[in-house]
Amino acid sequence: MSDTADRIDTVEMPREGLAVVQASDISSERLELSADVVIIGSGAGGAVSAYELARRGLDVLVLEAGPYVPSKDFTEDFTESLETLYEDHGGQANTDGDLLVLQGRCVGGSTVVNGCVSFRTPDFIFEEWHRDYGLTDFTPESMAPYFERVERNLSIQENRPHEIARHSMVLSEGARKLGWSVKPFKRNIRECALTGHCLSGCKTERKQSMLVTYLPWAAAHGARIHSDTRVDKVLTENGRAVGVEGRVVDRTGRHVADIRVTAPRVIMAAGAVQTPVILQRSGLGNDQVGRNFACHPSFYVGARYPQPIHPWRGAMLGVYVDEFMHPDKGGFVLEVGGLGIAELCMINEPGTGKPFVEYMQNAPHMAGIVTLIHDHNVGEIRWQGDHKAIHYQLSDKDFPSMMASLKAAVRMHLAAGAEEVFLPSSEALSVTREADIDRQVDKLVNKPQHLRMVSYHPQGSCRMGTDPAHSACDPQGRLRGVEGVYVADASLLPSSLIVNPQVTVYALANYVADRVT
Ligand SMILES: Cc1cc2nc3c(=O)[nH]c(=O)nc-3n(C[C@H](O)[C@H](O)[C@H](O)COP(=O)(O)OP(=O)(O)OC[C@H]3O[C@@H](n4cnc5c(N)ncnc54)[C@H](O)[C@@H]3O)c2cc1C
């Protein structure tokens, strides 16, 4: 890998802000640029690639579809943040409309709005990659230097006692009563301000997102960053990448300019929904592009407690239960997360009129658990003429682990003393006693528009592997069938991770960048 002795703090850093060319800076109708490498997207994969390649001396240009929002402009208002910082204003969903697929769309991508949870890839996932996809180069040992580098660079450390908020303490007690293993998260945060506003961007810049780490470091090595710039196509000649084309569109949706970049290397880092769409629009790659989409479909299981919890206070994510993580033990993880008023309305069926008022009056008494499952790669991303489509239905194979995760979350709430646990379905269902868990949860069936699912972790839509019939990319991240196009984002993951993926994406992007020739 690249020289780990490189010290980030030896580069010249701007005193504040990041030099970004925005739509408002552009006066011509057509922009013609060139670079050694053009990177599409500035999130986890794009930012790490930009830094690693710029420090090698390459002329790097990063094109980001979303706006540049400096930290001081974050509002700490979730509904407004969905509008400004998220793909499709927070409304990106599957074609059935029962799975919200949340993704950041701004300079720094999803890392700006994420919850900071930082896991390495579990060992059993590497074993699966080895066994099913021939990826013998990826082992816990071979990837350890990449993980260590990212963890050091992003100040990843375990939550300290004051970073375990009341919701996490109460639910830890529930897990302990059940005899389940519960642990503090590791997070990429320096001296957390405990505001609980992670999903709206970190105003205090303590979250070590790409906006305040790898992107400024890349810029200090000469990388140029353009926001408001949406890439539509990768351009090729004689089987080789020669650049990209797209549009500069301002925040009101006004088309400001067309852009064309000449570059012999293109790094795809637009995230697991957009990367395959751009490749499909360009007619590049094999029939695996867009397939094998996984997303950790999640429930947010809320419950009412007799005592006030104030779920919006303190560090957003405190502890997790790993008891059931291995597929042999159920294949799910429970994460205790804070929630604000807007999320309270999104996760349950709050009713209307008096029931709604009562539900909301109980807001200070609520706490929540997020479930994650190790889903199979059954989804598909498609460019359908003039729009993207996310085809993802919870598979019958994954339904049992989804239900097992829900039953476990309900059990943990009740053990922690909850009075009523709300089930995440389109019908208003709840559980008030242990004896009713199976009866109530078993009313849920696997049919469209019945469950309220959220994905924070789209993955796998250009997966890597050794078999060209089952993978879009080779084990070095090179797109099959064309020279000079690399994939360096969550699209590359061959199977879902079960744990939160940002650290894996950073490490893989670094791995791929080291192999860019
Ligand atoms: C609300 C939320 C909470 C999360 N919490 C956690 C967590 O606690 N821990 C964790 O590990 N993971 C978390 N994640 C997931 C994590 O942030 C992602 O897995 C990771 O950022 C994925 O990296 P990526 O490079 O694939 O995509 P992203 O980081 O999403 O970056 C893709 C970028 O490409 C841009 N783009 C898209 N299309 C184009 C185009 N056509 N042209 C130019 N640019 C384009 C997008 O605007 C975006 O900025 C969370 C995600 C969300 C949304």
Side-chain angles (χ1 to χ4, degrees), residues 360-375:
M360 292 313 286
Q361 277 172 337
N362 280 313
H365 291 254
M366 302 281 268
I369 299 174
V370 177
T371 65
L372 295 182
I373 67 158
H374 178 40
D375 60 328

Side-chain angles (χ1 to χ4, degrees), residues 311-350:
W312 47 82
R313 286 191 190 158
M316 200 184 82
L317 283 145
V319 297
Y320 67 103
V321 170
D322 64 352
E323 182 80 23
F324 310 98
M325 189 189 289
H326 197 280
D328 294 345
K329 293 186 166 179
F332 62 88
V333 175
L334 304 178
E335 303 193 339
V336 182
L339 76 168
I341 299 294
E343 296 95 305
L344 270 172
C345 292
M346 286 161 75
I347 58 171
N348 298 321
E349 181 45 62

